[in-house]
Amino acid sequence: MADPNIVFYGFTPVARDPEILFANHPTASGDNPKQDLFIAEDFPLPNSTLVNDVKTFVKKELDEQTFNHSNRVYIYGVALAKTHFPHWSYDLETYYLSCLLHDIGTAEKYLSTTKLSFEFKGAIIARDLILQLGGVEDQADSVCDAIVRHQDIFVQGGNITMIGQVLQLATILDNVGLRANLIHPRLIEITTAAFPRKGWSEHFARVVESELRLKPWCHTSTFETPNWKEGMKSNFASDVRKNSVMKSFD
């Protein structure tokens, strides 16, 4: 008998490369993809003792801009999946935990105190935290896996977990505006009103530059030219700053 936790906690494998995922897609390909008119209230944030305890931890460690980004990522991801992959099934609480914790490694407490790339440090922190707070191991592992891989943007082969793919699509949408046409523009307006960006583009670009300066070997350097060195311009930070989709909301 198949392990039901594989589906429930979002481990179902899907193609990693969005170009494969969306190729000839009935609602997401072409010049005019489907844009369901959802509003933020259509996606109430999961509410449980575990979620509330994690949220308390995250609010203590992260600045407001990163906390708001994490909540926007939840709304954009769920909206995108409901619009274009309505058959996808995964636990919304587990996805929300992934969103809340995906950037915990950028917190001041952690970014400069480890030689690990922020995604990897953050994934370890997230897994340990969920287990300490009474979460089940499969849930903690799903969150950990999604966070580890949430910046594997250039990997073309193989698969990723369903929750990992939703997290990737939503984070890159909020950070650089990629595939923003897959959700309704009104949802972006409503979501940024509920969770304001407050200069997120510049804020996150500086985080990118800080990690590159502190750890030029970090995973974030995969966005850069080979043999990137301090003093060179960051392509990723530039792309974040040039996020024209979100410029009016910053």
Side-chain angles (χ1 to χ4, degrees), residues 27-244:
T27 62
S29 58
D31 296 331
N32 296 292
K34 184 181 181 184
Q35 296 177 333
D36 283 341
L37 183 50
F38 294 119
I39 58 175
E41 288 75 11
D42 290 325
F43 311 115
L45 301 177
N47 184 22
S48 68
T49 300
L50 177 58
V51 165
N52 291 334
D53 288 346
V54 168
K55 194 177 287 188
T56 297
F57 172 82
V58 167
K59 282 186 172 181
K60 177 185 175 185
E61 301 298 344
L62 291 178
D63 51 65
E64 184 181 7
Q65 290 98 325
T66 310
F67 178 75
N68 285 355
H69 162 68
S70 300
N71 283 279
R72 292 193 304 272
V73 164
Y74 175 79
I75 294 170
Y76 296 155
V78 176
L80 193 154
K82 281 186 175 292
T83 299
H84 303 291
F85 303 100
H87 59 287
W88 281 15
S89 177
Y90 53 91
D91 176 46
L92 291 176
E93 177 183 280
T94 304
Y95 176 57
Y96 188 43
L97 292 173
S98 301
C99 295
L100 286 173
L101 289 161
H102 81 281
D103 277 346
I104 193 66
T106 67
E108 184 176 351
K109 182 176 179 178
Y110 305 116
L111 188 65
S112 63
T113 58
T114 178
K115 293 179 176 61
L116 283 171
S117 300
F118 89 85
E119 308 97 309
F120 307 151
K121 178 66 172 181
I124 294 168
I125 294 165
R127 187 180 188 277
D128 288 348
L129 178 67
I130 291 169
L131 292 175
Q132 289 166 10
L133 294 174
V136 301
E137 188 169 10
D138 280 347
Q139 183 177 50
D141 285 350
S142 178
V143 171
C144 181
D145 196 273
I147 294 174
V148 164
R149 298 191 63 187
H150 85 268
Q151 288 206 132
D152 275 353
I153 305 301
F154 305 109
V155 175
Q156 295 180 322
N159 299 328
I160 189 170
T161 68
M162 189 174 284
I163 278 180
Q165 181 62 271
V166 178
L167 183 64
Q168 280 195 3
L169 291 169
T171 53
I172 202 71
L173 189 160
D174 196 49
N175 287 337
V176 303
L178 186 63
R179 299 186 184 87
N181 63 338
L182 298 183
I183 60 174
H184 201 285
R186 180 62 179 149
L187 179 63
I188 295 175
E189 295 175 10
I190 294 169
T191 303
T192 53
F195 298 101
R197 291 177 64 85
K198 295 194 171 185
W200 173 247
S201 293
E202 179 61 29
H203 181 86
F204 184 57
R206 290 182 180 181
V207 171
V208 169
E209 291 168 337
S210 293
E211 186 180 37
L212 287 169
R213 184 175 62 255
L214 290 166
K215 295 171 274 189
W217 57 82
C218 66
H219 187 254
T220 297
S221 70
T222 61
F223 290 83
E224 311 302 339
T225 56
N227 296 315
W228 185 92
K229 293 179 177 60
E230 185 175 357
M232 297 173 65
K233 184 178 181 180
S234 165
N235 293 331
F236 188 26
S238 296
D239 288 343
V240 170
R241 288 189 172 99
K242 292 187 293 187
N243 185 350
S244 60

